[in-house]
Amino acid sequence: MKKVILLPLIALLLISCGDKQQTSEAVAAPLLPVFSIQNTNAVTEVEYPAAIQGAVDVEIRPQISGNLERVYVDEGAYVTKGQTLFKINERPFREQLNNALANLHAAEAAFINAQLEIDKLTPLVQNKVVSDYQLKTAKASQKIAAANIEQTKAMVASARINLEYTTVKAPVSGYIGRLPKKQGSLVSASDIEPLTNLSDVHEVFAYFSLSETDFINFKAQYAGSTLGDKIKNLPAVSLILADNTPYTHLGKIDMIDGQFDKTTGAITLRATFPNKNGTLRSGNTGKIHLGIQHDDAILIPQSATVEMQDKVFVFTVSKDNKVTKTPINIIGKSGTNYLIKDGVQPGDQIVLSGIDKLQEGQKIQPEKAKPAVAEIINKK
């Protein structure tokens, strides 16, 4: 009787254990999407801090000393080339011009007297009434008078220039900066502070620097035997403003410095951006996004990675559907994907999502990634 009773109990226990094992295996093998890694072409963007300057940034300084009589502009105003900005008291310089003109007239009169003396002595010398010495002396006096005329003409021209300097005009069109000197101030060409700064920002220059290694890689990306040829083949670059918003226009790299900075070990490049609306001003900062082409690259979605202790991992899937936490070496970003240097190879399979609950060696049920997802990754 006991044997008869025990057999059904053992059978029930075996069935129960089998159900638990199947349930455990089902729980331990979640259905997760996987992706097979393939080589593809990609473009990564590298950020470089940039300092922005206007196409022309000039200091407006007085060329003469005097009292600032009028200020015709306000801070931040837009002015056109040739527009009057400041007026320095001109009366002392007008008197200098009048004095120079008077000296010129006197020199011209002295020249006429010298000519008259020559005209008087010439027939007398010919008739041997007076000696030749007196005529030579008169001609020498005439040359001195002619030299005095040239000298006083130069003084008149200099006085006129100084008089013109009393009116300070805009050398280019642009925006006025601060006005530290107010009406009535005494100004001089030796002042440390300029009258103001003027920026022509119809287009702006964004200056950024590349390290020696980055510059070597940068040159290798583009066709051309010389730097000039490579500059022509460079793609447009984008500018990210200080608030992390992209600038509305793309720029063009058009200058590479002739030498590396000995202090920083970097070389400066310049990108030019249009700025018709005056959105950017001299002194702005931003970041240049420079695209670098990579052939036969390995891309992995950022969402398929997990970061632990400053290292980035993916879960690779073996032939028996077990996952392994694999460290990867990232060298850049392309959109929402990481560009991988090593850690995985083409043909490897990785888990795309649900990796936050995976454990090392855990078995999964692979689900092939949807075509749309794979297409997005491979098109980067």
Side-chain angles (χ1 to χ4, degrees):
M1 291 293 293
K2 289 182 180 179
K3 290 182 180 179
V4 174
I5 294 171
L6 287 173
L7 287 174
L9 288 173
I10 292 171
L12 288 171
L13 288 171
L14 290 173
I15 293 169
S16 175
C17 290
D19 291 342
K20 288 181 180 179
Q21 186 176 358
Q22 290 176 0
T23 304
S24 175
E25 289 179 356
V27 172
L31 181 66
L32 294 176
V34 298
F35 171 68
S36 181
I37 296 174
Q38 300 175 9
N39 283 337
T40 185
N41 296 332
V43 177
T44 58
E45 285 192 343
V46 185
E47 287 187 351
Y48 296 97
I52 298 172
Q53 294 182 12
V56 179
D57 286 334
V58 293
E59 291 183 340
I60 306 299
R61 292 183 174 274
Q63 301 296 309
I64 54 172
S65 299
N67 289 316
L68 192 59
E69 194 172 70
R70 293 286 303 274
V71 178
Y72 293 98
V73 293
D74 197 3
E75 295 175 337
Y78 181 82
V79 297
T80 57
K81 181 178 180 180
Q83 182 176 335
T84 300
L85 308 179
F86 305 96
K87 182 66 177 179
I88 298 172
N89 184 9
E90 67 174 28
R91 284 176 293 177
F93 302 98
R94 188 166 294 281
E95 292 306 317
Q96 289 177 11
L97 176 59
N98 291 336
N99 185 51
L101 287 171
N103 291 334
L104 174 60
H105 297 328
E108 291 172 341
F111 179 84
I112 293 172
N113 284 335
Q115 185 63 49
L116 291 174
E117 186 69 13
I118 291 173
D119 294 341
K120 182 184 74 172
L121 293 174
T122 298
L124 296 177
V125 171
Q126 291 174 351
N127 294 324
K128 297 182 180 182
V129 176
V130 297
S131 68
D132 184 55
Y133 175 80
Q134 290 180 319
L135 180 59
K136 289 181 179 178
T137 302
K139 288 182 178 179
S141 299
Q142 184 194 41
K143 289 182 178 180
I144 293 173
N148 288 336
I149 289 176
E150 296 302 320
Q151 185 179 30
T152 52
K153 281 182 178 179
M155 294 175 63
V156 169
S158 178
R160 282 204 173 101
I161 290 173
N162 287 336
L163 183 61
E164 289 176 359
Y165 282 156
T166 61
T167 302
V168 181
K169 297 183 179 181
V172 295
S173 298
Y175 292 93
I176 294 293
R178 296 289 302 276
L179 298 174
K181 301 288 186 179
K182 307 302 180 184
Q183 184 172 331
S185 299
L186 181 63
V187 297
S188 170
S190 60
D191 288 343
I192 297 176
E193 245 183 340
L195 292 174
T196 189
N197 292 287
L198 181 59
S199 295
D200 177 7
V201 291
H202 75 279
E203 64 179 11
V204 294
F205 299 143
Y207 292 92
F208 62 101
S209 299
L210 299 182
S211 67
E212 188 172 357
T213 302
D214 286 347
F215 184 63
I216 292 172
N217 295 333
F218 171 78
K219 289 194 300 180
Q221 291 290 324
Y222 306 103
S225 56
T226 65
L227 280 179
D229 294 336
K230 290 180 182 294
I231 288 176
K232 294 177 183 178
N233 294 323
L234 294 179
V237 294
S238 57
L239 175 65
I240 305 301
L241 303 179
D243 61 355
N244 290 323
T245 60
Y247 183 55
T248 52
H249 300 286
L250 296 177
K252 178 68 176 176
I253 296 175
D254 56 7
M255 187 280 294
I256 299 176
D257 200 350
Q259 59 184 4
F260 281 83
D261 188 309
K262 294 180 180 179
T263 304
T264 62
I267 193 168
T268 300
L269 283 74
R270 183 185 73 190
T272 302
F273 291 84
N275 188 41
K276 292 182 180 179
N277 296 329
T279 304
L280 301 176
R281 301 292 179 92
S282 290
N284 276 145
T285 58
K287 296 176 182 177
I288 291 292
H289 273 201
L290 186 62
I292 300 177
Q293 178 70 35
H294 300 270
D295 298 328
D296 294 329
I298 296 176
L299 295 180
I300 290 178
Q302 296 181 39
S303 58
T305 63
V306 60
E307 187 173 352
M308 295 180 62
Q309 297 180 348
D310 297 330
K311 292 184 178 180
V312 181
F313 299 86
V314 294
F315 282 94
T316 56
V317 183
S318 63
K319 293 181 179 179
D320 58 358
N321 296 334
K322 289 185 178 180
V323 297
T324 302
K325 187 185 293 183
T326 305
I328 56 175
N329 187 1
I330 298 170
I331 58 175
K333 291 182 180 180
S334 178
T336 59
N337 298 322
Y338 282 135
L339 184 69
I340 307 303
K341 181 179 181 181
D342 52 47
V344 291
Q345 299 294 330
D348 291 348
Q349 289 192 335
I350 62 170
V351 181
L352 282 178
S353 62
I355 60 177
D356 52 332
K357 295 181 180 179
L358 285 179
Q359 300 294 328
E360 178 74 18
Q362 183 178 346
K363 195 170 185 178
I364 67 167
Q365 299 181 54
E367 180 185 22
K368 191 174 181 180
K370 295 180 181 180
V373 175
E375 187 178 353
I376 291 172
I377 295 170
N378 291 326
K379 277 190 175 181
K380 294 289 184 181

